[in-house]
Amino acid sequence: MGAAGVERVVIAPPVWEGVRNDVALAAAQRHPDRFAVMGRVDLLSPASRELIPAWREQPGMLGLRYAFHRPLVRPLLAEGRINWLWPLAEKAGVPIMLFTAHSDLHLVDDIAERHPGLKLVVDHLALTRGKDEEAFREIDRLLALAGRPNVAVKASCLPLYTTDKYPYQRLHPYLRRVYDAFGPKRMFWGSDWSRLPCTYRQCVTMFTEEMTWLSNDDLEWIMGRGLCEWIGWAVQ
C-alpha cells in the first residue's frame, strides 16, 4: 500500500473461504485508520436477518458486499429470494456493494427505486467478461442508473477488461462517460488488487497521472473521499 500510494483499503472478504469476516475484521480492528470491511452474512440463513440492524456496530464493519454475477448465486437476486435484505439494510443504514452483469442492472434499478434510503455501489462498472468494446458494449445500462441518487459505481478491476497496455488509453473514453453520468462524487476508484494484470501503483496512476481531464478536486473525490463519505468511513 505504501509503495502504491494507497492510504486506505476497503476489504471485501474472498468468497472462496465461505461466509466469514473474521480475518478482514481483525485487520480493520488492528489498523482502523488503514482498513475497513464490507462483509457478508449468509443470505440463505433466516438467522442472518437478525444481524443486519446491528451490523455496523462491529468495529471496522461498514456494510455488505455480494457478487451476483456467478450462475450459482445470480438466482438469489434475479428471483427476488433476498428481497428481505434491502429494507433491513435501508433501515439500519447499511450500504451494499453489488457485483452483477450489465444485463441484470435493471434489478439494481428496481431495488434503488423501492428503497431510496439504501446506498448501493455497483462494483467493477458491472463488467464481467470480454475485452474492450465487447466488455463495454452494454455500458449504457450502467449509465442509466445515474438518475438514481442512491446508486454509485466503483471503477475497479478495469485493466482486466482491455487488451491495451498501461496507461490503458482504450479504457479512458468509457471512464469519461461514467464520469459525465455519475460525477466525481459517485464514481469511486478501486483496484480488485488480486486480479490486476498491472502493478498496484499503475492502477493508481492510471487515474492520478494519465487522465488529465480530471481536476485535483475530481481526484480527491474519486480516489477516496467519495467512497469514504458514501459508506460512512470517517476521514481524519
Side-chain angles (χ1 to χ4, degrees):
M1 288 169 60
V6 176
E7 296 180 4
R8 290 181 169 203
V9 166
V10 176
I11 304 172
V15 298
W16 55 79
E17 289 199 325
V19 181
R20 55 177 298 187
N21 306 298
D22 56 313
V23 175
L25 280 176
Q29 291 163 10
R30 183 175 180 180
H31 304 283
D33 59 331
R34 306 301 298 276
F35 300 113
V37 183
M38 299 293 283
R40 292 194 307 279
V41 298
D42 183 350
L43 295 176
L44 298 178
S45 172
S48 293
R49 305 181 187 212
E50 306 301 321
L51 301 176
I52 304 303
W55 190 246
R56 285 174 56 96
E57 294 177 12
Q58 304 172 82
M61 185 67 79
L62 296 182
L64 296 164
R65 195 268 181 178
Y66 291 98
F68 293 111
H69 67 295
R70 293 175 294 128
L72 291 177
V73 183
R74 180 181 176 274
L76 296 179
L77 178 67
E79 298 173 5
R81 290 158 58 184
I82 55 170
N83 281 348
W84 58 267
L85 175 63
W86 320 121
L88 288 177
E90 180 182 28
K91 183 177 180 180
V94 176
I96 299 178
M97 293 179 174
L98 307 168
F99 182 23
T100 186
H102 288 141
S103 57
D104 282 337
L105 287 176
H106 65 285
L107 301 171
V108 178
D109 183 62
D110 182 60
I111 296 166
E113 181 180 27
R114 288 187 286 113
H115 303 285
L118 175 61
K119 288 187 173 181
L120 301 170
V121 181
V122 178
D123 281 359
H124 311 327
L125 302 185
L127 301 171
T128 59
R129 58 189 176 88
K131 305 284 186 181
D132 302 315
E133 291 81 3
E134 172 65 18
F136 287 88
R137 62 188 175 88
E138 294 186 285
I139 193 69
D140 286 345
R141 293 176 183 262
L142 178 72
L143 303 182
L145 289 178
R148 302 290 183 195
N150 57 326
V151 177
V153 294
K154 194 193 302 178
S156 47
C157 201
L158 297 179
L160 186 66
Y161 295 101
T162 181
T163 58
D164 204 0
K165 302 299 183 182
Y166 182 86
Y168 307 113
Q169 292 288 346
R170 295 183 71 174
L171 295 175
H172 295 199
Y174 298 112
L175 287 166
R176 182 58 191 258
R177 293 186 65 195
V178 174
Y179 169 89
D180 289 342
F182 286 90
K185 295 183 180 181
R186 289 192 294 148
M187 174 182 169
F188 310 142
W189 173 86
S191 66
D192 195 355
W193 182 78
S194 61
R195 296 197 295 163
L196 285 180
C198 63
T199 69
Y200 201 7
R201 178 62 181 163
Q202 285 174 327
C203 187
V204 173
T205 58
M206 170 186 166
F207 282 77
T208 59
E209 297 179 9
E210 304 297 341
M211 296 183 194
T212 56
W213 43 273
L214 291 173
S215 69
N216 288 336
D217 188 58
D218 290 338
L219 287 171
E220 179 185 358
W221 284 101
I222 292 170
M223 301 305 295
R225 181 179 176 184
L227 177 61
C228 286
E229 292 199 4
W230 193 264
I231 64 176
W233 192 3
V235 178
Q236 303 299 324

PDB file of all heavy atoms in Angstrom, residues 168-192:
ATOM      1  N   TYR A 168      -3.487   2.245 -20.594  1.00  0.00           N
ATOM      2  CA  TYR A 168      -4.823   1.753 -20.916  1.00  0.00           C
ATOM      3  C   TYR A 168      -5.720   2.821 -21.539  1.00  0.00           C
ATOM      4  O   TYR A 168      -6.860   3.042 -21.112  1.00  0.00           O
ATOM      5  CB  TYR A 168      -5.486   1.162 -19.665  1.00  0.00           C
ATOM      6  CG  TYR A 168      -4.626   0.119 -18.995  1.00  0.00           C
ATOM      7  CD1 TYR A 168      -4.085   0.338 -17.733  1.00  0.00           C
ATOM      8  CD2 TYR A 168      -4.326  -1.077 -19.642  1.00  0.00           C
ATOM      9  CE1 TYR A 168      -3.276  -0.619 -17.122  1.00  0.00           C
ATOM     10  CE2 TYR A 168      -3.519  -2.042 -19.045  1.00  0.00           C
ATOM     11  CZ  TYR A 168      -2.994  -1.802 -17.788  1.00  0.00           C
ATOM     12  OH  TYR A 168      -2.195  -2.755 -17.198  1.00  0.00           O
ATOM     13  N   GLN A 169      -5.207   3.445 -22.564  1.00  0.00           N
ATOM     14  CA  GLN A 169      -5.930   4.540 -23.210  1.00  0.00           C
ATOM     15  C   GLN A 169      -7.285   4.098 -23.765  1.00  0.00           C
ATOM     16  O   GLN A 169      -8.208   4.910 -23.853  1.00  0.00           O
ATOM     17  CB  GLN A 169      -5.081   5.135 -24.339  1.00  0.00           C
ATOM     18  CG  GLN A 169      -3.839   5.879 -23.882  1.00  0.00           C
ATOM     19  CD  GLN A 169      -4.175   7.219 -23.223  1.00  0.00           C
ATOM     20  OE1 GLN A 169      -5.291   7.711 -23.338  1.00  0.00           O
ATOM     21  NE2 GLN A 169      -3.203   7.795 -22.541  1.00  0.00           N
ATOM     22  N   ARG A 170      -7.412   2.850 -24.136  1.00  0.00           N
ATOM     23  CA  ARG A 170      -8.687   2.391 -24.688  1.00  0.00           C
ATOM     24  C   ARG A 170      -9.804   2.410 -23.648  1.00  0.00           C
ATOM     25  O   ARG A 170     -10.990   2.411 -23.999  1.00  0.00           O
ATOM     26  CB  ARG A 170      -8.542   0.983 -25.274  1.00  0.00           C
ATOM     27  CG  ARG A 170      -7.611   0.913 -26.471  1.00  0.00           C
ATOM     28  CD  ARG A 170      -7.536  -0.473 -27.067  1.00  0.00           C
ATOM     29  NE  ARG A 170      -8.771  -0.849 -27.763  1.00  0.00           N
ATOM     30  CZ  ARG A 170      -8.904  -1.964 -28.468  1.00  0.00           C
ATOM     31  NH1 ARG A 170      -7.890  -2.811 -28.581  1.00  0.00           N
ATOM     32  NH2 ARG A 170     -10.044  -2.247 -29.065  1.00  0.00           N
ATOM     33  N   LEU A 171      -9.433   2.433 -22.377  1.00  0.00           N
ATOM     34  CA  LEU A 171     -10.435   2.491 -21.314  1.00  0.00           C
ATOM     35  C   LEU A 171     -10.905   3.909 -21.023  1.00  0.00           C
ATOM     36  O   LEU A 171     -12.014   4.110 -20.519  1.00  0.00           O
ATOM     37  CB  LEU A 171      -9.868   1.891 -20.026  1.00  0.00           C
ATOM     38  CG  LEU A 171      -9.525   0.408 -20.025  1.00  0.00           C
ATOM     39  CD1 LEU A 171      -8.867   0.038 -18.701  1.00  0.00           C
ATOM     40  CD2 LEU A 171     -10.773  -0.448 -20.256  1.00  0.00           C
ATOM     41  N   HIS A 172     -10.091   4.891 -21.321  1.00  0.00           N
ATOM     42  CA  HIS A 172     -10.361   6.256 -20.874  1.00  0.00           C
ATOM     43  C   HIS A 172     -11.669   6.825 -21.405  1.00  0.00           C
ATOM     44  O   HIS A 172     -12.398   7.488 -20.644  1.00  0.00           O
ATOM     45  CB  HIS A 172      -9.185   7.164 -21.223  1.00  0.00           C
ATOM     46  CG  HIS A 172      -7.918   6.806 -20.498  1.00  0.00           C
ATOM     47  ND1 HIS A 172      -6.857   7.691 -20.356  1.00  0.00           N
ATOM     48  CD2 HIS A 172      -7.527   5.671 -19.868  1.00  0.00           C
ATOM     49  CE1 HIS A 172      -5.889   7.104 -19.693  1.00  0.00           C
ATOM     50  NE2 HIS A 172      -6.263   5.884 -19.387  1.00  0.00           N
ATOM     51  N   PRO A 173     -12.036   6.634 -22.683  1.00  0.00           N
ATOM     52  CA  PRO A 173     -13.317   7.182 -23.148  1.00  0.00           C
ATOM     53  C   PRO A 173     -14.524   6.615 -22.387  1.00  0.00           C
ATOM     54  O   PRO A 173     -15.493   7.329 -22.140  1.00  0.00           O
ATOM     55  CB  PRO A 173     -13.349   6.797 -24.631  1.00  0.00           C
ATOM     56  CG  PRO A 173     -11.918   6.624 -25.010  1.00  0.00           C
ATOM     57  CD  PRO A 173     -11.260   6.051 -23.796  1.00  0.00           C
ATOM     58  N   TYR A 174     -14.459   5.351 -22.027  1.00  0.00           N
ATOM     59  CA  TYR A 174     -15.557   4.773 -21.262  1.00  0.00           C
ATOM     60  C   TYR A 174     -15.632   5.400 -19.868  1.00  0.00           C
ATOM     61  O   TYR A 174     -16.724   5.681 -19.355  1.00  0.00           O
ATOM     62  CB  TYR A 174     -15.379   3.261 -21.137  1.00  0.00           C
ATOM     63  CG  TYR A 174     -15.383   2.532 -22.452  1.00  0.00           C
ATOM     64  CD1 TYR A 174     -14.223   1.925 -22.937  1.00  0.00           C
ATOM     65  CD2 TYR A 174     -16.539   2.447 -23.223  1.00  0.00           C
ATOM     66  CE1 TYR A 174     -14.224   1.236 -24.148  1.00  0.00           C
ATOM     67  CE2 TYR A 174     -16.541   1.762 -24.439  1.00  0.00           C
ATOM     68  CZ  TYR A 174     -15.379   1.176 -24.889  1.00  0.00           C
ATOM     69  OH  TYR A 174     -15.377   0.496 -26.096  1.00  0.00           O
ATOM     70  N   LEU A 175     -14.476   5.611 -19.260  1.00  0.00           N
ATOM     71  CA  LEU A 175     -14.447   6.223 -17.939  1.00  0.00           C
ATOM     72  C   LEU A 175     -14.948   7.666 -17.988  1.00  0.00           C
ATOM     73  O   LEU A 175     -15.587   8.133 -17.050  1.00  0.00           O
ATOM     74  CB  LEU A 175     -13.033   6.162 -17.361  1.00  0.00           C
ATOM     75  CG  LEU A 175     -12.612   4.758 -16.911  1.00  0.00           C
ATOM     76  CD1 LEU A 175     -11.119   4.690 -16.677  1.00  0.00           C
ATOM     77  CD2 LEU A 175     -13.357   4.373 -15.642  1.00  0.00           C
ATOM     78  N   ARG A 176     -14.673   8.341 -19.096  1.00  0.00           N
ATOM     79  CA  ARG A 176     -15.191   9.699 -19.226  1.00  0.00           C
ATOM     80  C   ARG A 176     -16.720   9.694 -19.287  1.00  0.00           C
ATOM     81  O   ARG A 176     -17.381  10.562 -18.706  1.00  0.00           O
ATOM     82  CB  ARG A 176     -14.607  10.376 -20.479  1.00  0.00           C
ATOM     83  CG  ARG A 176     -15.064  11.837 -20.653  1.00  0.00           C
ATOM     84  CD  ARG A 176     -14.681  12.655 -19.427  1.00  0.00           C
ATOM     85  NE  ARG A 176     -15.290  13.965 -19.416  1.00  0.00           N
ATOM     86  CZ  ARG A 176     -14.640  15.099 -19.750  1.00  0.00           C
ATOM     87  NH1 ARG A 176     -13.373  15.039 -20.130  1.00  0.00           N
ATOM     88  NH2 ARG A 176     -15.263  16.252 -19.686  1.00  0.00           N
ATOM     89  N   ARG A 177     -17.294   8.720 -19.936  1.00  0.00           N
ATOM     90  CA  ARG A 177     -18.745   8.623 -19.991  1.00  0.00           C
ATOM     91  C   ARG A 177     -19.334   8.336 -18.600  1.00  0.00           C
ATOM     92  O   ARG A 177     -20.379   8.885 -18.227  1.00  0.00           O
ATOM     93  CB  ARG A 177     -19.171   7.525 -20.967  1.00  0.00           C
ATOM     94  CG  ARG A 177     -18.852   7.827 -22.422  1.00  0.00           C
ATOM     95  CD  ARG A 177     -19.439   6.762 -23.336  1.00  0.00           C
ATOM     96  NE  ARG A 177     -20.900   6.770 -23.282  1.00  0.00           N
ATOM     97  CZ  ARG A 177     -21.675   5.802 -23.739  1.00  0.00           C
ATOM     98  NH1 ARG A 177     -21.117   4.719 -24.276  1.00  0.00           N
ATOM     99  NH2 ARG A 177     -22.986   5.882 -23.657  1.00  0.00           N
ATOM    100  N   VAL A 178     -18.669   7.483 -17.844  1.00  0.00           N
ATOM    101  CA  VAL A 178     -19.119   7.198 -16.480  1.00  0.00           C
ATOM    102  C   VAL A 178     -19.010   8.456 -15.630  1.00  0.00           C
ATOM    103  O   VAL A 178     -19.928   8.791 -14.861  1.00  0.00           O
ATOM    104  CB  VAL A 178     -18.296   6.048 -15.865  1.00  0.00           C
ATOM    105  CG1 VAL A 178     -18.656   5.852 -14.396  1.00  0.00           C
ATOM    106  CG2 VAL A 178     -18.522   4.758 -16.644  1.00  0.00           C
ATOM    107  N   TYR A 179     -17.904   9.174 -15.771  1.00  0.00           N
ATOM    108  CA  TYR A 179     -17.710  10.428 -15.038  1.00  0.00           C
ATOM    109  C   TYR A 179     -18.795  11.440 -15.397  1.00  0.00           C
ATOM    110  O   TYR A 179     -19.371  12.099 -14.520  1.00  0.00           O
ATOM    111  CB  TYR A 179     -16.326  10.982 -15.364  1.00  0.00           C
ATOM    112  CG  TYR A 179     -16.086  12.392 -14.877  1.00  0.00           C
ATOM    113  CD1 TYR A 179     -15.579  12.632 -13.607  1.00  0.00           C
ATOM    114  CD2 TYR A 179     -16.346  13.489 -15.704  1.00  0.00           C
ATOM    115  CE1 TYR A 179     -15.362  13.925 -13.155  1.00  0.00           C
ATOM    116  CE2 TYR A 179     -16.119  14.784 -15.271  1.00  0.00           C
ATOM    117  CZ  TYR A 179     -15.636  15.006 -13.996  1.00  0.00           C
ATOM    118  OH  TYR A 179     -15.423  16.286 -13.562  1.00  0.00           O
ATOM    119  N   ASP A 180     -19.075  11.581 -16.668  1.00  0.00           N
ATOM    120  CA  ASP A 180     -20.084  12.542 -17.101  1.00  0.00           C
ATOM    121  C   ASP A 180     -21.468  12.196 -16.559  1.00  0.00           C
ATOM    122  O   ASP A 180     -22.281  13.082 -16.294  1.00  0.00           O
ATOM    123  CB  ASP A 180     -20.137  12.613 -18.624  1.00  0.00           C
ATOM    124  CG  ASP A 180     -18.921  13.297 -19.233  1.00  0.00           C
ATOM    125  OD1 ASP A 180     -18.216  14.011 -18.495  1.00  0.00           O
ATOM    126  OD2 ASP A 180     -18.673  13.108 -20.440  1.00  0.00           O
ATOM    127  N   ALA A 181     -21.740  10.908 -16.393  1.00  0.00           N
ATOM    128  CA  ALA A 181     -23.049  10.476 -15.914  1.00  0.00           C
ATOM    129  C   ALA A 181     -23.173  10.575 -14.394  1.00  0.00           C
ATOM    130  O   ALA A 181     -24.153  11.128 -13.870  1.00  0.00           O
ATOM    131  CB  ALA A 181     -23.327   9.041 -16.361  1.00  0.00           C
ATOM    132  N   PHE A 182     -22.199  10.056 -13.672  1.00  0.00           N
ATOM    133  CA  PHE A 182     -22.299   9.959 -12.212  1.00  0.00           C
ATOM    134  C   PHE A 182     -21.614  11.101 -11.480  1.00  0.00           C
ATOM    135  O   PHE A 182     -21.952  11.378 -10.326  1.00  0.00           O
ATOM    136  CB  PHE A 182     -21.709   8.629 -11.735  1.00  0.00           C
ATOM    137  CG  PHE A 182     -22.576   7.442 -12.015  1.00  0.00           C
ATOM    138  CD1 PHE A 182     -22.459   6.740 -13.202  1.00  0.00           C
ATOM    139  CD2 PHE A 182     -23.524   7.028 -11.097  1.00  0.00           C
ATOM    140  CE1 PHE A 182     -23.257   5.643 -13.476  1.00  0.00           C
ATOM    141  CE2 PHE A 182     -24.336   5.921 -11.355  1.00  0.00           C
ATOM    142  CZ  PHE A 182     -24.207   5.237 -12.551  1.00  0.00           C
ATOM    143  N   GLY A 183     -20.643  11.747 -12.128  1.00  0.00           N
ATOM    144  CA  GLY A 183     -19.897  12.796 -11.454  1.00  0.00           C
ATOM    145  C   GLY A 183     -18.842  12.220 -10.530  1.00  0.00           C
ATOM    146  O   GLY A 183     -18.870  11.025 -10.189  1.00  0.00           O
ATOM    147  N   PRO A 184     -17.908  13.035 -10.077  1.00  0.00           N
ATOM    148  CA  PRO A 184     -16.799  12.533  -9.263  1.00  0.00           C
ATOM    149  C   PRO A 184     -17.196  12.062  -7.873  1.00  0.00           C
ATOM    150  O   PRO A 184     -16.468  11.288  -7.255  1.00  0.00           O
ATOM    151  CB  PRO A 184     -15.849  13.729  -9.187  1.00  0.00           C
ATOM    152  CG  PRO A 184     -16.741  14.926  -9.359  1.00  0.00           C
ATOM    153  CD  PRO A 184     -17.795  14.487 -10.344  1.00  0.00           C
ATOM    154  N   LYS A 185     -18.345  12.488  -7.372  1.00  0.00           N
ATOM    155  CA  LYS A 185     -18.742  12.114  -6.015  1.00  0.00           C
ATOM    156  C   LYS A 185     -19.421  10.753  -5.944  1.00  0.00           C
ATOM    157  O   LYS A 185     -19.629  10.220  -4.852  1.00  0.00           O
ATOM    158  CB  LYS A 185     -19.660  13.187  -5.426  1.00  0.00           C
ATOM    159  CG  LYS A 185     -18.967  14.531  -5.235  1.00  0.00           C
ATOM    160  CD  LYS A 185     -19.885  15.554  -4.590  1.00  0.00           C
ATOM    161  CE  LYS A 185     -19.173  16.890  -4.414  1.00  0.00           C
ATOM    162  NZ  LYS A 185     -20.031  17.910  -3.768  1.00  0.00           N
ATOM    163  N   ARG A 186     -19.769  10.192  -7.120  1.00  0.00           N
ATOM    164  CA  ARG A 186     -20.398   8.865  -7.135  1.00  0.00           C
ATOM    165  C   ARG A 186     -19.649   7.896  -8.051  1.00  0.00           C
ATOM    166  O   ARG A 186     -20.194   6.889  -8.478  1.00  0.00           O
ATOM    167  CB  ARG A 186     -21.868   8.963  -7.560  1.00  0.00           C
ATOM    168  CG  ARG A 186     -22.764   9.607  -6.518  1.00  0.00           C
ATOM    169  CD  ARG A 186     -24.237   9.412  -6.858  1.00  0.00           C
ATOM    170  NE  ARG A 186     -24.612  10.119  -8.067  1.00  0.00           N
ATOM    171  CZ  ARG A 186     -25.538   9.699  -8.924  1.00  0.00           C
ATOM    172  NH1 ARG A 186     -26.144   8.526  -8.758  1.00  0.00           N
ATOM    173  NH2 ARG A 186     -25.849  10.418  -9.989  1.00  0.00           N
ATOM    174  N   MET A 187     -18.395   8.185  -8.311  1.00  0.00           N
ATOM    175  CA  MET A 187     -17.531   7.321  -9.111  1.00  0.00           C
ATOM    176  C   MET A 187     -16.278   7.043  -8.285  1.00  0.00           C
ATOM    177  O   MET A 187     -15.459   7.926  -8.062  1.00  0.00           O
ATOM    178  CB  MET A 187     -17.168   8.016 -10.426  1.00  0.00           C
ATOM    179  CG  MET A 187     -16.157   7.284 -11.286  1.00  0.00           C
ATOM    180  SD  MET A 187     -15.798   8.257 -12.783  1.00  0.00           S
ATOM    181  CE  MET A 187     -14.382   7.372 -13.430  1.00  0.00           C
ATOM    182  N   PHE A 188     -16.141   5.827  -7.794  1.00  0.00           N
ATOM    183  CA  PHE A 188     -15.105   5.500  -6.828  1.00  0.00           C
ATOM    184  C   PHE A 188     -13.997   4.667  -7.460  1.00  0.00           C
ATOM    185  O   PHE A 188     -14.263   3.621  -8.065  1.00  0.00           O
ATOM    186  CB  PHE A 188     -15.691   4.719  -5.644  1.00  0.00           C
ATOM    187  CG  PHE A 188     -16.911   5.340  -5.031  1.00  0.00           C
ATOM    188  CD1 PHE A 188     -17.951   4.555  -4.578  1.00  0.00           C
ATOM    189  CD2 PHE A 188     -17.029   6.714  -4.905  1.00  0.00           C
ATOM    190  CE1 PHE A 188     -19.080   5.109  -3.998  1.00  0.00           C
ATOM    191  CE2 PHE A 188     -18.158   7.298  -4.327  1.00  0.00           C
ATOM    192  CZ  PHE A 188     -19.187   6.482  -3.877  1.00  0.00           C
ATOM    193  N   TRP A 189     -12.769   5.117  -7.289  1.00  0.00           N
ATOM    194  CA  TRP A 189     -11.630   4.309  -7.710  1.00  0.00           C
ATOM    195  C   TRP A 189     -11.556   3.049  -6.852  1.00  0.00           C
ATOM    196  O   TRP A 189     -11.873   3.053  -5.658  1.00  0.00           O
ATOM    197  CB  TRP A 189     -10.332   5.096  -7.543  1.00  0.00           C
ATOM    198  CG  TRP A 189      -9.103   4.260  -7.796  1.00  0.00           C
ATOM    199  CD1 TRP A 189      -8.517   4.018  -8.992  1.00  0.00           C
ATOM    200  CD2 TRP A 189      -8.332   3.532  -6.823  1.00  0.00           C
ATOM    201  NE1 TRP A 189      -7.423   3.192  -8.834  1.00  0.00           N
ATOM    202  CE2 TRP A 189      -7.289   2.875  -7.516  1.00  0.00           C
ATOM    203  CE3 TRP A 189      -8.427   3.365  -5.444  1.00  0.00           C
ATOM    204  CZ2 TRP A 189      -6.348   2.083  -6.869  1.00  0.00           C
ATOM    205  CZ3 TRP A 189      -7.499   2.566  -4.784  1.00  0.00           C
ATOM    206  CH2 TRP A 189      -6.464   1.938  -5.506  1.00  0.00           C
ATOM    207  N   GLY A 190     -11.126   1.965  -7.469  1.00  0.00           N
ATOM    208  CA  GLY A 190     -10.864   0.731  -6.741  1.00  0.00           C
ATOM    209  C   GLY A 190      -9.874  -0.109  -7.526  1.00  0.00           C
ATOM    210  O   GLY A 190      -9.574   0.191  -8.692  1.00  0.00           O
ATOM    211  N   SER A 191      -9.391  -1.166  -6.936  1.00  0.00           N
ATOM    212  CA  SER A 191      -8.364  -1.962  -7.604  1.00  0.00           C
ATOM    213  C   SER A 191      -8.813  -3.374  -7.949  1.00  0.00           C
ATOM    214  O   SER A 191      -8.597  -3.840  -9.049  1.00  0.00           O
ATOM    215  CB  SER A 191      -7.099  -2.038  -6.741  1.00  0.00           C
ATOM    216  OG  SER A 191      -7.350  -2.759  -5.550  1.00  0.00           O
ATOM    217  N   ASP A 192      -9.462  -4.076  -7.011  1.00  0.00           N
ATOM    218  CA  ASP A 192      -9.584  -5.533  -7.071  1.00  0.00           C
ATOM    219  C   ASP A 192      -8.172  -6.084  -7.291  1.00  0.00           C
ATOM    220  O   ASP A 192      -7.883  -6.776  -8.264  1.00  0.00           O
ATOM    221  CB  ASP A 192     -10.526  -5.991  -8.174  1.00  0.00           C
ATOM    222  CG  ASP A 192     -10.925  -7.461  -7.992  1.00  0.00           C
ATOM    223  OD1 ASP A 192     -10.399  -8.110  -7.073  1.00  0.00           O
ATOM    224  OD2 ASP A 192     -11.744  -7.968  -8.774  1.00  0.00           O
TER     225      ASP A 192
END
